[in-house]
Amino acid sequence: MRRVLITGMSGTGKSAVIEELVARGYRAHDLDTSEWSEWVAANPSDTLTPAEGRDWVWRQDRVRRLLSEHQDGRLFIAGTAENMPTMFPLIDVIILLSAPLAVLMDRLAARSTGGYGHSSEDRQKVIDLISTVEPLLREVAHLEIDTQGP
């Protein structure tokens, strides 16, 4: 197990897990940042102005380089993106973080203004994605961890 993907819907704790792994000395990257990901038009003929017409995708060249150049020890990456299945051949283990919808909505609402998920529109999109994307993630995950807490 050299390359581990931690994935899940917004608010499940991916970034917090990566922060903790880094604090413990592991090589870990949050891919849900502009360094590793970007918004693109959902349809190539669309413009990027309407938020509902955009997809969050990994910058494939950067992520592929990160994964393929990793040789020693463990590498943890975290994120969820439309195009992430293209990287699955380079990933050894996929861990899905999940939590009940009410917990996710509370966590997202508590984010700072401007943070993804803080707005009611963002939270509605997350609700939609939970019903469509989370089942797909569950199918490919080697392990699922419920992060709702005690």
Side-chain angles (χ1 to χ4, degrees):
M1 176 172 67
R2 292 185 333 195
R3 295 169 297 226
V4 179
L5 167 63
I6 301 165
T7 191
M9 297 291 93
S10 294
T12 56
K14 300 179 302 290
S15 297
V17 169
I18 289 297
E19 289 174 13
E20 184 62 27
L21 288 167
V22 168
R24 292 179 183 217
Y26 288 96
R27 186 169 179 214
H29 298 276
D30 184 350
L31 300 188
D32 284 341
T33 66
S34 59
E35 177 184 1
W36 300 102
S37 300
E38 64 186 335
W39 289 105
V40 297
N43 179 331
S45 63
D46 290 345
T47 64
L48 293 181
T49 44
E52 59 277 355
R54 300 184 306 167
D55 286 329
W56 184 245
V57 298
W58 287 348
R59 297 175 186 266
Q60 289 193 30
D61 56 338
R62 295 178 186 181
V63 175
R64 184 175 306 282
R65 190 174 326 111
L66 174 69
L67 293 169
S68 60
E69 291 178 356
H70 179 73
Q71 298 299 317
D72 297 321
R74 289 199 180 107
L75 169 67
F76 294 91
I77 59 170
T80 304
E82 179 74 25
N83 63 342
M84 70 184 202
T86 63
M87 299 298 164
F88 287 172
L90 297 172
I91 296 168
D92 300 308
V93 175
I94 300 172
I95 299 172
L96 172 63
L97 302 184
S98 63
L101 180 61
V103 171
L104 297 180
M105 292 301 106
D106 288 346
R107 289 176 183 171
L108 294 173
R111 286 185 175 173
S112 61
T113 304
Y116 183 78
H118 181 75
S119 74
S120 59
E121 295 84 12
D122 286 349
R123 289 194 304 277
Q124 183 57 53
K125 181 160 182 151
V126 170
I127 291 169
D128 296 341
L129 291 172
I130 287 171
S131 65
T132 58
V133 174
E134 192 174 58
L136 300 174
L137 296 176
R138 195 165 277 120
E139 287 179 18
V140 299
H142 297 99
L143 175 67
E144 181 173 355
I145 299 172
D146 185 334
T147 64
Q148 71 178 316

